[in-house]
Amino acid sequence: MAGVRISDVKVLETPTGARLSARLQGAPGLPPTLWFEVPAAFGDALTARGDPFLPILMLRALQHPGPIVIEAEVSPELLASARRAAALLESWGLPPGRVRGAAIDIQAPFGVAARRGAGVGAFFSGGVDSFYTVLKNIARYPEGDSRSLTHLVMLHGFDVREEDRALFERLSGPLREVATALGKGFVTLRTNLRELFGDDDFDLTHGVVLAGAGHALAGLFHTLYIASSYPYSELRPWGSHPNLDPLWSSERLDFVHDGSERSRPEKLALIAQSPVALRALRVCWMQRDAYNCGKCEKCVRTMLGLAAHGVLEQATGFPSRLDPGEVAQIFVPEFIRIRWDDIGRELAAREPALARAAAQAVARSERLDAVWGTLSRVGLTRARAKTFDRAVLRGGGLALWRRLSGRR
């Protein structure tokens, strides 16, 4: 069985900061190195340890069994809890393509880092979930409290590709201003961890990327907050999860999964009260020419929520109005239709035309799913359709489907 070896773990100066890097050897197709890079002001946070590389390699070992050899010290607590994380993922039936019952063989020298960071950080994308975590923390803990946030952390190589530096700079500017306005430090961390999996299964792999990035910054923080994606009532197998995130903790760094006590519309109610948040709110994963595209399902859903609170025009990163006809054409995935239903009820009194459009979008999406169900019964599954589209139509079928279904 092909394994993976991490060697030559070291911290190097770069023209713009400092980089923690490691050589990666093993199965064909692996990137030659994995690395984390921070600006010079935070270079002291990096230490030459194996902890930052362990979570993502553990996930890979569930799909490609073989020994993981890390030639750098690893926290014994992290190693033990990483095995529990693997068992949890396997109990969920994840990751896709896993080898059931495969033992996770991790070989590394044990060692507990002498230094524990003094700060408290929160991973921060500018989205609804991360803004809620930040605003809630500020309201709850006075400055100087050991749980009070000291820094916001934005990853480059996470939702914005590592090589797309211009886009990252454009998106990070408003979030840096947020940190300044709130009296917090702002840390950017660039990494190539996603090269280990490519663009596949980001819903699953984002959790281990966050865990690895957190351990890279363990010299700066003793606690890192990961904003929840789902409320407790809607939990599903996901890369970041209240049962999973704490398992990436070690003797010197604690991960806190935060915010599952509130739904996305409830979080938006808090954001609607913050002018700072409204100016910088960013939810779009399809942005290129605009901070938020204003057309994809996630943008439109957020704009509907803002309209329900009467603050859409104050959210300057979005278009200032919604067209009910365009809203009605949006395809709403099944697992978030409950959120559209909630938003529709909130809109009913203030924006009845938008409330009706939201209901029409959900109904239309249910009809489209019914069409797929009929096609699946005669053998044309979505997976087969995607394979045919890539091989024969070169993505043209998916583009047409998105136009017809209202997905951008």
Side-chain angles (χ1 to χ4, degrees), residues 9 50 96 109 165 194 231 248 257 279 390:
V9 179
R165 299 194 183 194
R194 285 192 64 185
W248 302 123
H257 183 95
R279 287 195 300 269
R390 285 194 299 265

Side-chain angles (χ1 to χ4, degrees), residues 49 51 75-79 81 116 215 218 222 246-255:
R49 293 182 55 82
D51 299 347
S75 154
E77 182 176 315
L78 174 61
L79 179 58
S81 59
R116 182 177 173 90
H215 281 288
H222 61 77
L247 295 178
W248 302 123
S249 301
S250 70
E251 297 87 350
R252 68 170 181 161
L253 178 66
D254 291 315
F255 287 103

Side-chain angles (χ1 to χ4, degrees), residues 273-291:
Q273 301 171 34
S274 169
V276 171
L278 289 173
R279 287 195 300 269
L281 186 63
R282 178 179 76 89
V283 303
C284 188
W285 285 55
M286 304 182 72
Q287 67 277 21
R288 282 296 177 266
D289 301 321
Y291 195 64

